[in-house]
């Protein structure tokens, strides 16, 4: 199923930040979101993921979508394998050695996550994507804290395991992941001040 967005407007609290967005992403494809800090990439991803309502327009999002933000989403007191086994249980899957190998964390599986470096924690956080079996991934700066080797490893996962199986990915990033994917610069869609704002709306 294609991800389709038509004339979409998104807001940060009561303030409209982007408007007039229309695009589609076919199964097996990725879309790279570009634009300066504060342009609205995170707000758009959160809206697409259903974490906040759209301010206008329509969206058609395939089922089984997952959102990954800047946070690693891991419990520091648990081991790496315990963290991933938890997420596997939540999503009705199982943790396999393939996931550990894919994200180069097999030798860390029994380590307490709180003792890992920032880059290692990030790899554990991204490994959650390997156990979720989500058809659509909304990724907000997924390579934060990763070195060049780990960035390439993550890009390989996206290309060879997620997209190759008909998955979809919408990714906000400032770096080149080496994916054969179109880019969407959000700058032209920045809403003019006061456009569509709702002062009485509760802050999201």
């Amino acid at each position: 199923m294609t991800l389709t967005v038509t004339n979409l407007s998104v807001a940060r609290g009561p303030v409209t930040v982007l408007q007039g967005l229309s695009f589609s992403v076919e199964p097996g494809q990725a879309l790279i979101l570009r634009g300066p800090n504060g342009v609205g990439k995170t707000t758009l991803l959160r809206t697409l993921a259903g974490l906040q309502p759209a301010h206008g327009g329509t969206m058609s999002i395939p089922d089984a979508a997952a959102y990954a933000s800047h946070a690693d989403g891991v419990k520091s007191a648990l081991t790496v394998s315990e963290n991933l086994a938890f997420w596997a249980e939540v999503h009705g899957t199982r943790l396999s050695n393939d996931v550990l190998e894919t994200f180069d964390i097999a030798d860390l599986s029994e380590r307490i996550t709180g003792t890992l470096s920032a880059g290692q924690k990030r790899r554990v956080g991204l490994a959650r994507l390997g156990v979720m079996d989500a058809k659509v991934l909304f990724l907000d700066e997924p390579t934060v804290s990763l070195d060049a080797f780990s960035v390439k490893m993550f890009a390989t996962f996206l290309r060879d395991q997620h997209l190759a199986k008909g998955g979809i990915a919408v990714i906000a990033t400032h770096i080149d992941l080496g994916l054969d994917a179109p880019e969407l610069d959000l700058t032209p869609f920045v809403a003019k001040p006061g456009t569509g704002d709702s002062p009485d709306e509760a802050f999201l």
Side-chain angles (χ1 to χ4, degrees), residues 5-38:
V5 168
T6 305
N7 198 30
L8 185 69
S9 296
V10 301
R12 187 179 299 121
V15 180
T16 302
V17 292
L18 295 171
Q19 62 181 8
L21 276 165
S22 295
F23 59 86
S24 63
V25 189
E26 300 288 338
Q29 294 184 342
L31 177 68
I32 307 298
L33 303 179
R34 300 291 195 191
N37 291 335

Side-chain angles (χ1 to χ4, degrees), residues 74 78-111 113 123-133 157 161:
V74 297
L78 300 180
T79 66
V80 168
S81 59
E82 287 171 341
N83 266 290
L84 296 178
F86 167 79
W87 285 108
E89 183 175 355
V90 168
H91 290 273
T93 63
R94 64 181 183 85
L95 173 61
S96 69
N97 288 331
D98 289 344
V99 171
L100 299 176
E101 295 291 345
T102 294
F103 291 90
D104 194 27
I105 53 176
D107 60 340
L108 304 175
S109 63
E110 299 309 314
R111 286 271 301 273
T113 308
R123 296 207 308 273
V124 175
L126 292 174
R128 293 179 302 155
L129 304 175
V131 301
M132 286 180 179
D133 195 29
F157 160 76
Q161 297 192 37

Side-chain angles (χ1 to χ4, degrees), residues 10-17 38-43 52 203-204:
V10 301
R12 187 179 299 121
V15 180
T16 302
V17 292
V39 75
K41 297 186 295 293
T42 295
T43 303
Q52 63 182 63
F203 189 83
L204 296 174

Side-chain angles (χ1 to χ4, degrees), residues 15-198:
V15 180
T16 302
V17 292
L18 295 171
Q19 62 181 8
L21 276 165
S22 295
F23 59 86
S24 63
V25 189
E26 300 288 338
Q29 294 184 342
L31 177 68
I32 307 298
L33 303 179
R34 300 291 195 191
N37 291 335
V39 75
K41 297 186 295 293
T42 295
T43 303
L44 173 59
L45 286 172
R46 287 178 54 83
T47 302
L48 293 174
L51 299 178
Q52 63 182 63
H55 204 55
T58 61
M59 304 181 296
S60 177
I61 311 295
D63 293 335
Y67 170 73
S69 68
H70 303 84
D72 296 323
V74 297
K75 296 292 186 181
S76 296
L78 300 180
T79 66
V80 168
S81 59
E82 287 171 341
N83 266 290
L84 296 178
F86 167 79
W87 285 108
E89 183 175 355
V90 168
H91 290 273
T93 63
R94 64 181 183 85
L95 173 61
S96 69
N97 288 331
D98 289 344
V99 171
L100 299 176
E101 295 291 345
T102 294
F103 291 90
D104 194 27
I105 53 176
D107 60 340
L108 304 175
S109 63
E110 299 309 314
R111 286 271 301 273
I112 299 297
T113 308
T115 67
L116 303 180
S117 70
Q120 290 171 330
K121 288 179 184 177
R122 191 59 178 167
R123 296 207 308 273
V124 175
L126 292 174
R128 293 179 302 155
L129 304 175
V131 301
M132 286 180 179
D133 195 29
K135 300 302 182 184
V136 183
L137 299 179
F138 298 113
L139 307 175
D140 192 357
E141 296 293 349
T143 58
V144 170
S145 301
L146 294 184
D147 57 22
F149 171 80
S150 297
V151 169
K152 184 177 180 179
M153 177 185 62
F154 177 63
T156 299
F157 160 76
L158 285 177
R159 181 181 62 249
D160 296 347
Q161 297 192 37
H162 181 67
L163 300 177
K165 296 177 181 178
I168 290 173
V170 181
I171 311 165
T173 181
H174 291 287
I175 71 168
D176 182 8
L177 293 175
L179 299 176
D180 182 15
E183 298 184 359
L184 176 62
D185 184 359
L186 298 182
T187 306
F189 303 97
V190 172
K192 296 179 180 179
T195 302
D197 295 351
S198 303

